[in-house]
Amino acid sequence: MIRGGRGIELKGPDDFRAMRRAGLVVERALTRTIAAAAPGTTTQELNDVAAEVIASAGATPSFLNYGASPGQPGFPAVVCISVNEEIVHGIPGNRVLADGDLVSIDCGAIIDGWHGDSARTFFVGDPAPEHAELSRVTQESLWQGIAAVRRGGRVRDIGAAIDDYVSQQDHEYGIVTEFVGHGIGSAMHQVPDVPNYRHAGRSPKIVVGMALAIEPMLTLGNPENVTLDDDWTVVTSDGSAAAHWEHTVAITEHGLWVLTAPDGGEQMLARLGVPFGPLAD
Ligand code: MG
Ligand code: MG
């Protein structure tokens, strides 16, 4: 690993291979956790499913105790679970999930010091149609952002692509601006920031060896938000529902490798006309 411009960590092939292993653990933890969700399940039970998958893979959860400092407890769980009007950073607990709940789970894992980070939105039972569409648009905006990742392009191209796609919808969704994607590698949160909106000004050039966590958060109503008294859970100010999708994306010399997608992103990248760039073992 080396430091590129602006302190951005550039990964070598073996670093990316380790990040792919971490990414697949995260993928499996999310898939198993979502499969375990049903009306009557608590968010703590879902957290424990993710914890078991991560532990049995010999990996370490990225989120547990995240942000801890002397006198300041860190995040108290293995995953963030955010329900309905909760946008991100919800703390798992005794909340019982009900039919129709919109649930976002955000998960990170570490293998050999390398991180993977991914989030998905899903539904308990049958969703309201406008909630299903909110999640679909958020997921597609993530892929539109991924497709904007080009060698020689700029990080700001990602936010522009997300913003443009969201703006094209019939419904006026809100884009959360206070929380953004990020560089990722030997730490979960690294430079550069990856905003989910169009913005002017300087922005790092995209080069081989970068890894970015891209993670749009959309709201059905106004994107203004507040953090609850638990110091973590972020909710919409107007109580409208929010969705969150995230993948960790590597820029290799061959193209893109979506480290937290089961197929590495092969199918979606083909649909979007973007070179698929996995590294052989
Ligand atoms: Mg995440
Ligand atoms: Mg992230």
Side-chain angles (χ1 to χ4, degrees), residues 47 75 78 83 117 220:
N47 178 82
F75 188 76
V78 166
V83 184
D117 185 9
L220 196 55

Side-chain angles (χ1 to χ4, degrees), residues 85 87 178-179 223-228 232-237:
E85 77 283 4
I87 303 172
E178 290 86 352
F179 302 92
E224 281 177 31
N225 54 82
V226 291
T227 301
L228 298 183
W232 288 103
T233 312
V234 179
V235 302
T236 56
S237 299

Side-chain angles (χ1 to χ4, degrees), residues 63 106 117-118 180-182 188-189 213 215 244 246:
F63 292 3
D106 194 346
D117 185 9
S118 181
V180 296
H182 48 94
M188 180 165 63
H189 290 136
E215 51 177 319
H244 180 207
E246 178 181 26

Side-chain angles (χ1 to χ4, degrees), residues 156-228:
R156 66 169 175 247
D157 300 342
I158 298 167
I162 291 169
D163 204 329
D164 287 352
Y165 176 76
V166 172
S167 306
Q168 287 163 14
Q169 306 305 310
D170 289 336
H171 181 82
E172 191 177 330
Y173 295 101
I175 298 177
V176 174
T177 56
E178 290 86 352
F179 302 92
V180 296
H182 48 94
I184 182 170
S186 64
M188 180 165 63
H189 290 136
Q190 300 184 322
V191 291
D193 282 353
V194 184
N196 296 305
Y197 51 90
R198 182 178 279 285
H199 63 100
R202 289 173 59 83
S203 179
K205 188 173 272 193
I206 294 170
V207 298
V208 171
M210 285 173 74
L212 300 172
I214 302 172
E215 51 177 319
M217 290 146 254
L218 301 188
T219 60
L220 196 55
N222 194 294
E224 281 177 31
N225 54 82
V226 291
T227 301
L228 298 183

